[in-house]
């Protein structure tokens, strides 16, 4: 079996209806893992199983709001029960409302804290219990951000600073288990992450790259458009696959090898809108 095979492993990826989560789920499935995926948009999740099947992989999807922690933990339990093991949790679901603290809306702060931080904790806790009880070895991967170290990323940056801090604590807490913790800090990646950004800013970026499309608030774009943007500006915006490859690298190491943190960013910095 090749060193990177994930045959016989069970993985669960949150936020897999789009962007980094989608790319990661497809890569893990192509390597042989049975991948359970979640997000809110059922239609987008349903596209994944046939793609995985064509690559010889298996994907099981269920849509729900990840702030329903009972449902999220129930889905992790279902993955373990149906396959008899549980090895990889990718805590990827996340969002940004890029307003300054002075202009921000507390309800949007709450949403970011509940999705970016609390769901990651609820999922990790459940995975740890299942992996300990079953004696399953594997990885818990957090998708943090370079925003964790930025002074210009508002409350979103604060949530990612907490994700990175929690990864440090969790790594230490799990030292005596066969569970490695991986914290990945992406820079700018073309996904639907900018769905809450000011439309004027997004439209100016699309126009400067020659992409004929008018972005409206809350809009999600299909992966084909993301491919086009990445092709137009590879030095400014990574492809979601670039982050998926980092996840695969970390989770295919022997269990005694601790790939704790990776920063994966494009060669050049993208100017973000003033918030
Ligand atoms: N793109 C970047 O430049 C970048 C850089 C650094 C870090 N990140 C991090 O990467 C992760 C993935 O983001 P992305 O860039 O791939 O953005 P994306 O394309 O917008 O994907 C975000 C995913 O999270 C899911 N999600 C959001 N809120 C949810 C909720 N309440 N319940 C369930 N699922 C929810 C979305 O589901 P639906 O679409 O179905 O609602 C979607 O699948 C995030 O944690 C983000 O902070 C991104």
């Amino acid at each position: 079996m090749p060193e990177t095979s994930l045959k016989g492993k069970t993985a669960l990826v949150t936020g897999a209806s789009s962007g980094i989560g989608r790319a990661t789920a497809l890569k893990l499935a192509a390597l042989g893992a049975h991948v359970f995926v979640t997000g809110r948009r059922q239609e987008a999740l349903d596209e994944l199983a046939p793609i995985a099947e064509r690559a010889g992989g298996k994907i099981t999807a269920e849509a729900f709001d990840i702030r329903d922690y009972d449902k999220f933990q129930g889905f992790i339990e279902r993955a373990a029960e149906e396959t008899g093991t549980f090895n990889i949790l990718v805590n990827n679901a996340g969002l940004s409302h890029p307003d300054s603290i002075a202009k921000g809306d507390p309800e949007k702060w709450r949403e970011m804290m509940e999705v970016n931080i609390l769901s990651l904790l609820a999922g990790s806790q459940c995975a740890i219990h299942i992996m300990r009880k079953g004696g399953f070895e594997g990885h818990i991967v957090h998708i943090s951000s370079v925003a964790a170290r930025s002074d210009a990323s508002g409350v979103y940056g604060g949530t990612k600073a907490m994700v990175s801090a929690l990864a440090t604590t969790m790594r230490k807490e799990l030292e005596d288990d066969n569970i490695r913790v991986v914290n990945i800090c992406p820079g700018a990646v073309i996904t639907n992450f900018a769905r809450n950004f000011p439309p004027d800013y997004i439209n100016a970026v699309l126009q400067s790259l020659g992409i004929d499309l008018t972005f409206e608030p809350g809009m999600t774009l299909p992966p084909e458009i993301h491919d086009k943007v990445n092709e137009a500006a590879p030095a400014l915006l990574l492809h979601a696959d670039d982050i998926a490859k980092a996840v695969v690298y970390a989770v295919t190491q022997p269990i005694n090898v601790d790939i704790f943190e990776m920063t994966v960013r494009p060669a050049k910095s993208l100017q973000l809108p003033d918030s």
Side-chain angles (χ1 to χ4, degrees):
M1 209 179 279
E3 265 178 43
T4 51
S5 172
L6 291 172
K7 263 210 159 7
K9 306 273 187 200
T10 297
L12 191 147
V13 181
T14 69
S17 51
S18 179
I20 293 169
R22 182 183 197 275
T24 302
L26 289 172
K27 277 227 183 305
L28 296 176
L31 288 171
H34 182 163
V35 186
F36 288 71
V37 294
T38 183
R40 280 172 302 189
R41 292 172 300 128
Q42 185 75 54
E43 250 176 53
L45 292 173
D46 286 344
E47 287 174 12
L48 299 182
I51 303 175
E53 260 167 45
R54 286 197 289 278
K58 189 164 183 193
I59 285 190
T60 302
E62 194 175 312
F64 53 86
D65 192 309
I66 202 147
R67 287 172 289 180
D68 183 340
Y69 305 126
D70 286 345
K71 226 176 199 161
F72 180 24
Q73 295 188 331
F75 191 49
I76 299 175
E77 282 160 8
R78 177 184 159 196
E81 275 162 22
E82 283 185 13
T83 63
T85 187
F86 192 85
N87 313 96
I88 301 164
L89 171 65
V90 184
N91 283 309
N92 164 76
L95 78 154
S96 166
H97 291 290
D99 313 299
S100 65
I101 291 169
K103 290 187 201 149
D105 169 354
E107 277 315 308
K108 293 179 177 172
W109 300 340
R110 188 192 305 281
E111 183 186 6
M112 288 189 280
M113 290 184 190
E114 288 183 352
V115 176
N116 299 1
I117 302 168
L118 295 180
S119 79
L120 168 146
L121 280 171
S124 300
Q125 184 187 60
C126 180
I128 292 165
H129 288 168
I130 288 172
M131 292 167 88
R132 278 186 173 161
K133 193 165 168 223
F136 309 135
E137 65 177 45
H139 294 78
I140 296 178
V141 181
H142 300 331
I143 304 298
S144 184
S145 172
V146 293
R149 302 190 288 267
S150 157
D151 62 3
S153 295
V155 173
Y156 169 74
T159 67
K160 291 299 180 177
M162 185 146 181
V163 168
S164 291
L166 290 170
T168 302
T169 309
M170 214 179 281
R171 188 203 67 75
K172 178 80 177 147
E173 202 175 306
L174 298 177
E175 258 183 9
D176 294 329
D177 293 275
N178 274 333
I179 307 173
R180 300 285 77 81
V181 175
V182 181
N183 192 45
I184 297 187
C185 298
V189 186
I190 178 65
T191 65
N192 283 307
F193 181 70
R195 60 179 92 184
N196 301 318
F197 282 33
D200 290 351
Y201 168 76
I202 302 296
N203 284 321
V205 171
L206 289 173
Q207 208 179 5
S208 73
L209 299 176
I211 309 279
D212 182 21
L213 191 125
T214 306
F215 173 84
E216 282 165 25
M219 201 171 180
T220 52
L221 304 176
E224 303 75 57
I225 300 282
H226 296 153
D227 293 348
K228 268 196 192 170
V229 174
N230 171 254
E231 276 163 27
L236 285 175
L237 286 157
L238 292 179
H239 194 282
D241 280 346
D242 296 319
I243 308 303
K245 283 182 204 159
V247 175
V248 165
Y249 175 72
V251 303
T252 53
Q253 299 304 308
I255 206 67
N256 62 310
V257 176
D258 182 5
I259 306 290
F260 172 62
E261 196 153 72
M262 279 191 262
T263 297
V264 186
R265 61 196 315 167
K268 294 185 189 176
S269 308
L270 186 70
Q271 192 59 44
L272 289 173
D274 292 337
S275 52

